[in-house]
Amino acid sequence: REQFLAFDCNSPEGKQLIGATAEWVPLAAFNSCEIADMTWGDGGVLAYMIRSVDLDARRFDRAIAVSGR
């Protein structure tokens, strides 16, 4: 079952959720494409991030989606 999280990375809650950035690695990233009618945020990138230990264990259900420029 998919879960989507929305948070401000600069908020105390966001910082606690993200934790040490060294633990997270990129899993996939998609640029916005107006021709395909796929835009993320304000024309940025949609990226899936996962902790290294979860990637090693193939726990893809623990990946998170983030968008930004």
Side-chain angles (χ1 to χ4, degrees):
R1 185 173 168 180
E2 298 163 353
Q3 296 180 356
F4 295 94
L5 302 174
F7 57 90
D8 177 357
C9 293
N10 295 314
S11 71
E13 297 82 10
K15 289 178 181 178
Q16 182 179 9
L17 178 63
I18 294 297
T21 57
E23 296 176 15
W24 293 88
V25 295
L27 186 58
F30 304 94
N31 288 324
S32 291
C33 179
E34 290 184 23
I35 295 170
D37 197 27
M38 295 181 351
T39 56
W40 318 113
D42 193 16
V45 175
L46 174 66
Y48 288 91
M49 305 292 290
I50 191 167
R51 286 184 282 227
S52 299
V53 293
D54 293 331
L55 180 59
D56 291 342
R58 298 183 184 263
R59 293 297 312 264
F60 298 105
D61 57 311
R62 295 185 177 172
I64 62 169
V66 295
S67 65
R69 282 200 163 265

